[in-house]
């Protein structure tokens, strides 16, 4: 194995100094005190479903300090969306959830804008609404959320819009492998269950915000707290603007965990209409309500196994409550299937339905459809194991596939560290002394789960590397540094390619006018896609360097190498040039101020460029099978020890071990950080977090006191929190690395449920596992 | 109507015209340029806005700027020594990878400083209890706790 200077080393984060001194800039800092800036505030619908009869904005418009009040008549007529074009920027004739956007006020201060909201009179005709996903699914459901659904455009994955069994069903994803009925006939034991999960939301610390400046060519420039390329595409589609007229920029982002693109549209609307810069900062309540939370799913699962523990058949039906607008749901729904089939299963049938209701819209949240499915399947694994008298670890090991096998979906499995991950967490837990509670009502239990998360194959990234005269390497990429540490590992990769100190690498990122295309910082893809693009761009830059240096050194490019900014002949290293020697100013003919020029004699600059794309295969629309549906999978396992108070239902996670397979760690400490952070988000999703709605569809807990995010008190730390890196190098990853930021959250909730069962014999099928639900399950058992 | 107030921030007296209902956090960020302090929930629940006032941790998002007159306010920008040397907490956060997105970091470090000033050799449980009002969504807290314990040892001279 090659010895690396930086790869595999935990070098300090390149942005840590800026962050600990308060110097790091986020888009919330942008536009403060900017002359002429307007502040935008949105008026939201108080009804879950209603026709808008009349909006009177005159009193609001007359309020001193208000520049404009915009409503549905001011927005583009066409609907837009990511997969299904089903949403207007502001509602035009109808509101579809409590929180649907009805009007936008633009004023010279936040306070004036907030006051003006109260001066807008809206007359609604309230209509019956639908919230229950299985009711909404029915072919005869009396409430139809989108009567024009069959007219909506579906430019991406149109096959997901076929075979829709009801007027509110917007997505149907199918997987068919083998024959499940035959599989169940061959099975000795069958276990059927229903699982559900509540909506949770990202709760990233930086509230969604953006600033939009109108440009004089009719275009816009935005500073955004989200992803530049994804949001730019959404704005182009929503406003019919060409990409060349939409510029998005970002610096640091205060947490992401999924797509954020709500305030951007309002800011662009306001800036285009008023010709003034517009700043919108969501309140924490708005972040909850309009933040595009995780899809709630009702999952019916039927598993068949043989007495010897072989998993034979699995059938799943999912009813997914996407709310009234699909956003990213069709893909999230489709991709959940990769996780239900992570084991070796001969017969697999999956039908996942995305259903419109008048709850609130969903979006992607860390895991992108995987965690909710694993919540169901990883509890099933424990239940099945118990039925055949096998240990949960043994049962999973028996059914986990190996490198080179064909997966349920038809892909040849490569780079799978699942078994090692299972063994690592299991061994660690076995070595820990079980907790000894001081109260008789507290029971201790242990549980585990196996998880995975794919990286999308149908995307592309690009990168550029400019070599400056002084040897500085300017690496440009369009991804988002939202805390995961991508900038640090990119610095390591570029420094490795050129063999220079880390300080010689400078990063420029997140600006659609400067940094070339990147699909998105999502799907745990930046390590592989942007990493590869950067490595390829470095090699392209080195080719240019060697082409320039070879004639000057009297040799051919293939004989050259470069280290510490010195280009030398491999076989005669004393024959060398510095990078500056390749530039115009170094020529003997350079006179006058040409000697200060910072450019090449020809071709302007040394700029390496590269694209890395996934070469996606085809997914059969009827069977969901294909040979290349994903780029890679991160596999991982978690084992937890919990304390359950059987008198109060209160659960606390005492110990947690995570082991995840990231191919090869570029920076081990950053990988640990993902595992620890993911575990804690997983604990929150399993025990404490969940949206609560009134029976009129109003969100009742849109704040941090009623929606409980884990604090330091709720989580294991120090010697009770263990993280292990598993290495299963991926042939397509840069230095063998894969992404793993999402997988780290996927095993926790089912591991906790399995541990609660181990402690009390009570099985919980809904998350969050609140004290009330734990108590009910324990008492129901008696 | 705006009023002229004096605030002593990081040892320097600042004079600013501000509305009586503006929070200290907003004045620090939008009028005095101390954008290191972050606003995240505006209800005093998450701790991202934590600054020190006469040595005590306060939530600047719900603390009125007018009430802060006459107090010694310390923000993240004031933590470094005059010669630029980092505070042991800042060094420890870097060394122990206790920073990811960075949005909770200012408030977390200020909260940790208040904790260590009061309890120079905290246990792991003391640190968790002391930081329970500072939310972090990225790190899972393990490395933050490690960093605070390490900084405590360093300050105590046992490092």
């Amino acid at each position: 194995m090659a010895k690396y200077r930086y790869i595999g080393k935990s070098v300090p984060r390149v942005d840590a100094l800026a962050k600990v001194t308060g110097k790091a800039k986020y888009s919330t800092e942008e536009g403060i005190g900017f002359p002429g800036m307007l502040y935008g505030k949105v008026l939201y619908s108080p009804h879950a479903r209603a026709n808008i009869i009349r909006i009177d904005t005159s009193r609001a418009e007359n309020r001193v300090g208000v520049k404009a009040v915009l409503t549905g008549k001011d927005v583009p007529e066409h609907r837009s969306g990511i997969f299904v074009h089903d949403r207007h920027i502001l509602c035009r004739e109808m509101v579809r959830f409590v929180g649907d956007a009805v009007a936008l006020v633009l004023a010279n201060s936040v306070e004036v804008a907030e006051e003006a909201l109260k001066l807008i009179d809206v007359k609604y005709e309230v209509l019956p609404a639908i919230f229950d996903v299985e009711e909404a699914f029915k072919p005869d459901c009396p409430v139809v959320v989108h009567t024009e659904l069959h007219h909506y455009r579906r430019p991406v994955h149109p096959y997901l819009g076929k075979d829709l069994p009801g007027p509110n069903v917007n997505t149907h994803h199918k997987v068919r492998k083998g024959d499940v009925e035959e599989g169940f006939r061959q099975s000795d034991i069958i276990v059927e269950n229903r699982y559900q999960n509540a909506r949770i939301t990202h709760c990233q610390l930086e509230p969604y915000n953006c600033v939009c400046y109108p440009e004089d060519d009719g275009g816009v420039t935005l500073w955004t707290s989200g992803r530049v390329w994804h949001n730019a595409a959404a704005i182009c589609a929503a406003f019919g603007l060409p990409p060349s007229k939409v510029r998005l920029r970002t610096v640091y982002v205060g947490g992401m965990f999924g797509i954020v693109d709500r305030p951007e549209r309002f800011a662009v609307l306001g800036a285009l209409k008023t010709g003034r810069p517009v700043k919108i900062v969501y309140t924490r309540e708005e972040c909850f309500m309009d933040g595009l939370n995780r899809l709630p799913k009702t999952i019916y699962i039927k598993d068949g196994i043989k007495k010897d523990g072989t998993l034979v058949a699995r059938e799943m039906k999912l009813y997914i409550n996407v709310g009234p607008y699909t956003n990213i749901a069709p893909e999230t729904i489709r991709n959940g299937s990769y996780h239900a089939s992570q084991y070796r299963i001969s017969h697999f049938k999956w039908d996942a339905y995305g259903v419109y209701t008048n709850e609130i819209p969903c979006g992607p949240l860390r895991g992108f459809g995987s965690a909710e499915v694993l919540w169901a399947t990883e509890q099933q694994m424990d239940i099945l194991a118990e039925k055949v008298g096998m240990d949960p670890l043994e049962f999973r090991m028996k059914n986990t596939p190996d490198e080179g096998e064909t997966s349920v979906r038809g892909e040849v499995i490569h780079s799978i560290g699942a078994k090692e991950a299972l063994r690592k967490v299991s061994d660690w837990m076995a070595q820990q002394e079980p907790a000894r509670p001081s109260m008789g009502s507290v029971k201790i239990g242990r549980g585990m789960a196996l998880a995975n998360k794919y990286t999308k194959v149908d995307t592309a990234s690009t990168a550029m590397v400019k070599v400056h005269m002084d040897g500085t390497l300017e690496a440009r990429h369009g991804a988002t540094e939202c805390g995961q540490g991508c900038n640090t590992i990119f610095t390591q990769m570029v420094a490795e390619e050129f063999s220079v100190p880390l300080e010689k690498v400078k990063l420029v990122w997140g600006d659609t006018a400067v940094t070339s295309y990147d699909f998105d910082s999502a799907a745990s893809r930046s390590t592989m896609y942007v990493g590869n693009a950067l490595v390829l761009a470095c090699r392209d830059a080195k080719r240019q360097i060697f082409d320039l240096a070879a004639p000057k050194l009297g040799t051919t490019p293939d004989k050259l190498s470069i280290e510490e900014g010195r280009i030398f002949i491999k076989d005669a290293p004393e024959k060398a040039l510095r990078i500056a020697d390749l530039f115009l100013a170094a020529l003997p003919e350079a006179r006058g101020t040409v000697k200060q020029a910072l450019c090449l004699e020809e071709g302007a600059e040394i700029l390496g460029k590269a694209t890395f794309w996934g070469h996606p295969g085809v997914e059969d629309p009827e069977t969901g099978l294909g040979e290349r549906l994903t780029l890679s999978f991160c596999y991982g396992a978690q084992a937890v020890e919990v304390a359950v108070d059987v008198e109060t239902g209160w659960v606390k996670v005492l110990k947690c071990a995570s082991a995840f397979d990231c191919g090869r760690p570029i920076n081990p400490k950053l990988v640990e950080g993902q595992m620890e952070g993911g575990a804690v988000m997983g604990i929150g999703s399993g025990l404490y977090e969940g949206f609560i709605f009134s029976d009129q569809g109003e969100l009742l807990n849109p704040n941090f006191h009623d929606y409980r995010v884990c604090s330091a008190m709720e989580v294991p730390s120090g010697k009770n929190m263990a993280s292990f890196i598993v290495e299963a190098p991926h042939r397509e990853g840069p230095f063998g690395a894969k992404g793993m930021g999402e997988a780290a959250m996927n095993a926790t909730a089912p591991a906790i449920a399995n541990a609660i069962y181990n402690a009390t014999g009570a099985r919980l099928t809904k998350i969050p596992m609140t004290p009330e639900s734990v108590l009910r399950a324990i008492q129901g058992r008696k | 109507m705006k009023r002229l107030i004096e605030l002593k921030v990081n040892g320097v007296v600042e004079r600013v015209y501000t509305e009586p209902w503006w929070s200290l956090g907003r004045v620090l960020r939008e009028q005095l340029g101390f954008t290191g302090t972050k606003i995240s929930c505006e209800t005093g629940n998450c701790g991202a806005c934590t600054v020190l006032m006469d040595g005590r941790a306060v939530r600047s998002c719900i603390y009125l700027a007018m009430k802060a007159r006459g107090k010694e306010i310390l923000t993240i920008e004031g933590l470094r020594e005059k010669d630029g040397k980092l505070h042991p907490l800042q060094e420890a956060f870097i060394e122990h990878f206790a920073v990811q997105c960075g949005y909770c970091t200012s408030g977390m470090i200020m909260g940790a400083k208040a904790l260590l000033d009061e309890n120079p050799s905290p246990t792991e449980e003391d640190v968790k209890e002391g930081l329970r009002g500072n939310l972090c969504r990225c790190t899972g807290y393990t490395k933050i706790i490690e960093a605070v314990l390490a900084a405590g040892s360093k300050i105590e001279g046992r490092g």
Side-chain angles (χ1 to χ4, degrees), chain A residues 461-521:
Chain A
S461 290
T462 64
M464 300 201 192
V465 176
K466 170 172 168 160
V467 184
H468 288 251
M469 237 169 105
D470 65 357
T472 298
L473 299 159
E474 181 186 312
R476 301 178 190 161
H477 71 81
T480 306
E481 170 58 81
C482 57
Q484 81 283 53
C486 64
N487 277 358
T488 303
I489 63 163
F490 296 156
T491 302
Q492 289 174 258
M493 289 184 195
V494 174
E496 188 74 49
E497 280 292 309
F498 279 91
S499 300
V500 293
L502 294 164
E503 303 72 56
K504 272 307 220 186
V505 179
K506 170 191 149 115
L507 287 179
V508 172
W509 74 97
D511 183 336
T512 58
V514 173
T515 56
S516 53
Y517 177 77
D518 174 55
F519 166 72
D520 209 352
S521 290

Side-chain angles (χ1 to χ4, degrees), chain A residues 498-700:
Chain A
F498 279 91
S499 300
V500 293
L502 294 164
E503 303 72 56
K504 272 307 220 186
V505 179
K506 170 191 149 115
L507 287 179
V508 172
W509 74 97
D511 183 336
T512 58
V514 173
T515 56
S516 53
Y517 177 77
D518 174 55
F519 166 72
D520 209 352
S521 290
S524 303
R525 62 181 291 286
S526 300
T527 301
M528 283 183 100
Y529 280 89
V530 183
N532 272 329
L534 276 169
V535 168
L536 291 170
C538 286
R539 292 181 189 167
D540 184 36
K542 284 193 281 192
R543 261 194 299 278
Q544 293 172 39
I545 289 173
F546 296 153
D547 283 348
L548 286 167
K552 292 188 204 283
L553 287 170
T555 183
T556 51
D558 60 308
K559 302 255 186 344
L560 295 174
S561 189
I562 181 169
E563 241 179 69
E564 307 266 354
R566 197 172 165 272
I567 308 137
F568 57 94
I569 301 179
K570 286 185 253 196
D571 294 330
E574 68 286 356
K575 295 221 186 85
L577 288 175
R578 301 219 56 92
I579 288 179
D581 298 328
L582 307 176
F583 280 69
L584 177 61
L587 288 181
E589 304 92 332
R591 275 179 213 93
T593 46
V594 173
K595 289 166 82 86
Q596 292 163 338
L598 299 172
C599 60
L600 297 175
E601 184 190 354
E602 273 180 36
E605 52 185 16
I606 303 171
L607 184 71
K609 306 182 289 179
T611 298
F612 179 82
W613 67 291
H615 299 271
V618 174
E619 180 184 357
D620 185 309
E622 286 306 312
T623 63
L625 305 183
E627 284 178 0
R628 190 169 166 89
L629 303 173
T630 59
L631 182 61
S632 66
F633 277 89
C634 165
Y635 288 89
Q638 268 164 351
V640 297
E641 177 183 279
V642 303
V644 185
D645 187 330
V646 301
E647 280 176 14
T648 63
W650 192 253
V651 179
K652 186 162 177 188
V653 177
L654 302 176
K655 300 184 177 80
C656 175
S658 307
F660 282 85
D661 147 33
C662 59
R664 175 169 289 132
I666 306 289
N667 186 318
K669 280 289 174 191
L670 292 182
V671 176
E672 267 178 37
Q674 291 304 301
M675 287 195 265
E676 290 161 8
V680 166
M681 228 168 152
I683 292 172
S685 75
L687 292 175
Y688 309 120
E689 298 180 40
F691 279 14
I692 303 170
F693 290 95
S694 74
D695 56 11
Q696 301 301 308
E698 185 185 350
L699 179 57
L700 295 175

Side-chain angles (χ1 to χ4, degrees), chain A residues 111 205 672 710 715 717, chain B residues 26 40 101 124 128 141 143:
Chain A
E111 287 87 356
L205 273 268
E672 267 178 37
C710 286
V715 305
S717 59
Chain B
R26 190 168 171 185
S40 177
C101 83
E124 192 176 319
K128 289 166 86 152
Y141 303 103
K143 292 185 184 341

Side-chain angles (χ1 to χ4, degrees), chain B residues 63-105:
Chain B
Y63 199 99
L64 289 178
M66 306 282 288
K67 269 193 75 181
R69 288 176 292 181
K71 308 244 174 34
E72 294 270 348
I73 302 163
L74 186 68
T75 72
I76 188 76
E77 289 91 345
L79 208 52
R80 272 177 124 148
E81 319 261 313
K82 289 285 180 273
D83 62 1
K85 193 165 180 308
L86 293 175
H87 188 278
L89 273 167
Q90 291 170 310
E91 278 175 351
F93 267 60
I94 296 175
E95 241 174 279
H96 292 266
F97 290 81
V99 179
Q100 285 190 30
C101 83
Y103 216 73
C104 77
T105 302

